[in-house]
Amino acid sequence: MDDKWLVGVDLGGTTIKMAFINHYGEIIHKWEINTDVSEQGRKIPTDIAKAIDKKLNDLGEVKSRLVGIGIGAPGPVNFANGSIEVAVNLGWEKFPIKDILEVETSLPVVVDNDANIAAIGEMWKGAGDGAKDLLCVTLGTGVGGGVIANGEIVQGVNGAAGEIGHITSIPEGGAPCNCGKTGCLETIASATGIVRLTMEGLTETDKPSELRTVLEQNGQVTSKDVFDAARSKDELAMHVVDKVAFHLGLALANSANALNPEKIVLGGGVSRAGEVLLAPVRDYFKRFAFPRVAQGAELAIATLGNDAGIIGGAWLVKSYFE
């Protein structure tokens, strides 16, 4: 099987990332196509199948070289039939992605949540460094999570395990979340949450701030602007980062107290802030975690970037079909 290729697919609302990956988790070829969400995303499986066939043709390879497809998609997965229960950005509801993709490609397919496969990717070839007990949190437009216990992804009774972004951080008076609740961690620690906190801070005070200057010049403030200003010791930026770190550290500590992980990996675009975010998160984590849990857990920034999902998808193929 060593000469066979695994197909990893990371399905996003804007692009679909794909790769041929070998038995050892090394990327042989990777590419991406645009996500066509027209007609409630019905064309997506066909687009994936055509993209795989085209890439094989370009490389002069045959489909028999492929073991199968591992795909990560947004939203809860029904593991009994490989369908996506709901993916609002794609227009899917109980969408049978596994069945359709198997027909379109004549290859076996395994499906999981996109945050879960990112966690698997980091476990296998990234910052997880082979840890069998791992908590992975992706900080982007939203906040996703994946939990790995004893080397296996935790799915939960109906595919919703690992929803760390929807831990309630502010029980009363919190900002509304896309999930329908209020005060979720996602409303604070996501890129959009960080910007919201910053705009609130700029409204509440007229003190000078680098961020006020950025807003006046650009008409907007990004989470990157906030972290850049925090490095420059801007008072407002440091206050926002401290608040984010407090709630993120608390949520990670409470999750870790239940799971006792070896590694806690922070990924997603916000994690690119690096130590300016990780250092205070680590401090709050140690403050709130059960001491023995804190001793056993190492916090790290994800290393695979946008490749985490495709590598995680390949690992699913390796696990299920090799």
Side-chain angles (χ1 to χ4, degrees), residues 54-271:
K54 182 179 185 305
K55 184 59 66 173
L56 285 171
N57 185 63
D58 291 346
L59 297 171
E61 295 286 351
V62 292
K63 188 169 283 185
S64 59
R65 181 149 200 192
L66 306 180
V67 177
I69 300 169
I71 180 169
V77 177
N78 182 326
F79 293 95
N81 59 21
S83 68
I84 304 299
E85 291 293 282
V86 60
V88 176
N89 291 344
L90 304 179
W92 287 358
E93 186 170 346
K94 298 188 184 303
F95 189 82
I97 179 68
K98 171 182 163 67
D99 290 346
I100 297 173
L101 200 52
E102 286 185 337
V103 169
E104 294 281 356
T105 63
S106 301
L107 290 168
V109 175
V110 58
V111 184
D112 206 333
N113 172 266
D114 52 359
N116 284 349
I117 67 165
I120 291 169
E122 289 291 342
M123 175 191 74
W124 188 22
K125 302 300 292 184
D129 198 27
K132 298 299 183 186
D133 294 277
L134 179 144
L135 179 62
C136 184
V137 181
T138 52
L139 308 169
T141 306
V143 174
V147 177
I148 296 172
N150 198 27
E152 298 291 336
I153 197 77
V154 177
Q155 309 289 1
V157 69
N158 61 1
E163 288 290 354
I164 293 170
H166 299 292
I167 290 173
T168 300
S169 291
I170 301 176
E172 301 292 340
C177 181
N178 289 332
C179 76
K181 300 199 298 132
T182 60
C184 292
L185 178 65
E186 182 169 299
T187 68
I188 300 166
S190 65
T192 48
I194 292 167
V195 170
R196 181 184 61 80
L197 292 175
T198 302
M199 295 305 293
E200 288 178 357
L202 288 170
T203 303
E204 291 167 0
T205 179
D206 56 2
K207 288 183 179 179
S209 169
E210 284 184 34
L211 297 172
R212 194 180 304 280
T213 303
V214 169
L215 179 62
E216 290 170 353
Q217 290 177 344
N218 301 335
Q220 64 177 6
V221 174
T222 67
S223 59
K224 181 180 182 300
D225 293 329
V226 176
F227 290 116
D228 287 345
R231 289 188 188 91
S232 302
K233 305 300 182 184
D234 181 87
E235 184 178 345
L236 173 60
M238 292 174 67
H239 174 73
V240 170
V241 171
D242 183 70
K243 188 169 185 177
V244 170
F246 173 89
H247 287 287
L248 184 54
L250 177 61
L252 293 176
N254 288 336
S255 301
N257 284 347
L259 300 165
N260 193 196
E262 179 182 349
K263 290 284 182 73
I264 298 174
V265 178
L266 302 183
V270 172
S271 73

Side-chain angles (χ1 to χ4, degrees), residues 22-59:
N22 69 16
H23 176 82
Y24 302 102
E26 298 163 340
I27 295 173
I28 309 300
H29 300 281
K30 69 174 178 177
W31 71 103
E32 63 181 53
I33 61 173
N34 293 328
T35 306
D36 186 349
V37 297
S38 65
E39 298 180 27
Q40 294 185 303
R42 290 191 181 93
K43 299 176 183 176
I44 290 172
T46 304
D47 289 346
I48 293 171
K50 287 179 177 178
I52 291 171
D53 287 343
K54 182 179 185 305
K55 184 59 66 173
L56 285 171
N57 185 63
D58 291 346
L59 297 171

Side-chain angles (χ1 to χ4, degrees), residues 245-321:
F246 173 89
H247 287 287
L248 184 54
L250 177 61
L252 293 176
N254 288 336
S255 301
N257 284 347
L259 300 165
N260 193 196
E262 179 182 349
K263 290 284 182 73
I264 298 174
V265 178
L266 302 183
V270 172
S271 73
R272 287 198 283 269
E275 280 297 315
V276 70
L277 174 65
L278 186 60
V281 169
R282 191 182 286 121
D283 289 342
Y284 282 119
F285 173 80
K286 289 178 180 177
R287 173 178 162 186
F288 295 126
F290 181 65
R292 189 162 178 82
V293 168
Q295 289 168 11
E298 178 187 348
L299 273 68
I301 297 294
T303 59
L304 296 180
N306 290 333
D307 292 341
I310 52 176
I311 291 174
W315 186 91
L316 288 178
V317 177
K318 180 180 170 69
S319 299
Y320 278 78
F321 304 128

